[in-house]
Amino acid sequence: MDALMSFLQTPVGIVVAIVVAVALVAVVVWALKRRTPSSGQGPADRTAAPVEAPPEAGGGQDYGTRSGPREGGPAEDVAPADDASTLEVEPEVEVPESVPSRMQRLRARLSQSGAVGHALLSVLSRGDLQAADWEEIEDTLLVSDLGLGPTEELMERLRTRTKVEGTREPAQVRAILTEELLALVDPDMDRSLHLDRPTAEDGTPLPATVLMVGVNGTGKTTTVGKLARILVAQDKTVLLGAADTFRAAAADQLATWGDRVGVDVVRSDREGADPASVAFDAVREGIDRDVDVVLVDTAGRLQTKSTLMDELGKVKRVMERQAPVNEVLLILDATTGQNGMSQARVFAEAVDVTGIVLTKLDGSAKGGIVISVQRELGVPVKFVGLGEGADDLAPFEPESFVAAIVGD
């Protein structure tokens, strides 16, 4: 200690002592500045505004800050009671177009296409038809996807009637063609949708159930939504079953259709669930809610996959444990023509198809599939779709269809 004191008394010791003192003062001043609040908004700012209560989940709105204790009770979050901006907005429910209205509109659209009829009439009204003329008629019918059997049958009738009646007038030829085509379409087939509600053994009313089947790309899920709109327009209560669990967006797509007309959807909460289980739950829910109709959508199976077709049969059997299946509607793309016939055959073997819905029938060039598919399966075309609009689906009318082909 004596040595340190002696050193500090020297000129060098005095300089060192002064440097150390200055350094200590600088450190103290720096530390005091760190503790003093800053007026800026940088990292040193420790006086941020009070933290507000977080918004309610899903609302994205500011529901107010936490207030002090109320008289007689603990502190609580205060939310504006009448703030309309915090209320969830319900989706606007559409009013589907009535069936008579859409029938009139679809007739007009279908009548705009009569290429096959015009081609046939241009040949038939020539007078004395030669072999080349009859070949042209046959080619025109085959191009329209009428099918070989119906084409040969129609050709024979046309030859016979034009020869026997000896007519050359276009109006008379058109009348003959209309009659023969209408006979092939068979207007006597029952094309109604059978939606009579059955009853359980204990007298409980059961919903009518409809199973929708078809391959990928035919517009099956869209058709389910459009059919729901038709039923809602007929004042029926409807429930949808999203049994297409293989396509990720199928259930969401179906839910969107349902929201537009106020129809609920039964779906699985996990991807890749058992389709039969979803179908079972949909029918069960339909019974509990006492709805009129349950429409069940299924995956767009490739007809070459036998295991998937077997699964489709399983879906139908599981549904029947709760209620009879009133209808099995096969959705076919009319533009596929005869290629759709192989699809129709395999689906008919997997489930008992009761009716056909032809989508994309927006031209008569492929309209012959109506006749060929009915002949193949022995079941009627019940609905046709002529566009992408929400109400572009209507019951099939043989007379309107034939009139459009002939060009009346």
Side-chain angles (χ1 to χ4, degrees), residues 182-229:
L182 190 58
L184 287 177
V185 175
D186 194 353
D188 296 329
M189 297 187 81
D190 181 8
R191 302 179 190 277
S192 61
L193 200 60
H194 299 283
L195 298 179
D196 295 333
R197 295 184 60 178
T199 55
E201 294 181 356
D202 60 358
T204 302
L206 303 175
T209 62
V210 180
L211 182 63
M212 312 289 282
V213 301
V215 301
N216 289 317
T218 58
K220 181 172 44 55
T221 301
T222 297
T223 301
V224 175
K226 291 182 178 181
L227 181 57
R229 294 177 68 89

Side-chain angles (χ1 to χ4, degrees), residues 91 124 131:
L124 290 173

Side-chain angles (χ1 to χ4, degrees), residues 37-59:
S38 172
S39 61
Q41 298 299 323
D45 187 1
R46 303 302 183 191
T47 59
V51 179
E52 294 183 348
E56 293 292 336

Side-chain angles (χ1 to χ4, degrees), residues 140-393:
T140 302
L141 293 173
L142 290 173
V143 167
S144 74
D145 283 319
L146 188 63
L148 183 58
T151 295
E152 292 178 346
E153 184 177 336
L154 181 57
M155 289 291 296
E156 182 63 28
R157 291 181 181 179
L158 290 176
R159 280 194 180 99
T160 301
R161 289 196 60 178
T162 55
K163 183 176 180 180
V164 170
E165 298 181 22
T167 181
R168 297 183 181 182
E169 292 295 327
Q172 295 178 349
V173 173
R174 179 184 285 109
I176 293 174
L177 181 58
T178 299
E179 291 175 10
E180 297 302 334
L181 280 173
L182 190 58
L184 287 177
V185 175
D186 194 353
D188 296 329
M189 297 187 81
D190 181 8
R191 302 179 190 277
S192 61
L193 200 60
H194 299 283
L195 298 179
D196 295 333
R197 295 184 60 178
T199 55
E201 294 181 356
D202 60 358
T204 302
L206 303 175
T209 62
V210 180
L211 182 63
M212 312 289 282
V213 301
V215 301
N216 289 317
T218 58
K220 181 172 44 55
T221 301
T222 297
T223 301
V224 175
K226 291 182 178 181
L227 181 57
R229 294 177 68 89
I230 290 179
L231 298 177
V232 169
Q234 296 174 340
D235 296 325
K236 294 186 179 295
T237 54
V238 181
L239 184 67
L240 304 180
D244 183 354
T245 58
F246 291 93
R247 188 164 62 91
D252 292 336
Q253 181 183 357
L254 199 62
T256 299
W257 279 101
D259 289 342
R260 294 174 66 175
V261 288
V263 172
D264 290 336
V265 176
V266 175
R267 58 188 295 180
S268 174
D269 57 359
R270 64 184 181 86
E271 195 172 323
D274 180 15
S277 176
V278 177
F280 182 90
D281 291 342
V283 179
R284 179 74 261 169
E285 185 72 13
I287 295 173
D288 293 341
R289 295 192 185 190
D290 192 28
V291 300
D292 294 322
V293 185
V294 175
L295 300 178
V296 177
D297 185 24
T298 58
R301 289 158 168 75
L302 294 173
Q303 71 274 15
T304 55
K305 304 294 185 181
S306 60
T307 55
L308 293 178
M309 298 304 295
D310 291 341
E311 186 177 81
L312 185 59
K314 174 186 173 184
V315 171
K316 182 173 183 285
R317 292 192 300 272
V318 167
M319 290 175 61
E320 290 175 330
R321 294 177 185 173
Q322 305 235 40
V325 175
N326 295 60
E327 296 272 3
V328 178
L329 299 181
L330 173 61
I331 318 301
L332 289 178
D333 182 343
T335 63
T336 61
Q338 290 299 304
N339 292 331
M341 293 303 300
S342 60
Q343 302 172 9
R345 296 186 193 100
V346 178
F347 275 100
E349 294 173 359
V351 289
D352 295 326
V353 175
T354 60
I356 301 160
V357 180
L358 279 178
T359 62
K360 308 175 188 178
L361 192 65
D362 51 2
S364 58
K366 297 292 182 181
I369 192 176
V370 171
I371 296 171
S372 56
V373 74
Q374 288 186 162
R375 286 288 188 90
E376 180 67 29
L377 301 185
V379 296
V381 172
K382 294 193 173 185
F383 290 89
V384 292
L386 296 176
E388 297 180 358
D391 292 315
D392 287 343
L393 181 76

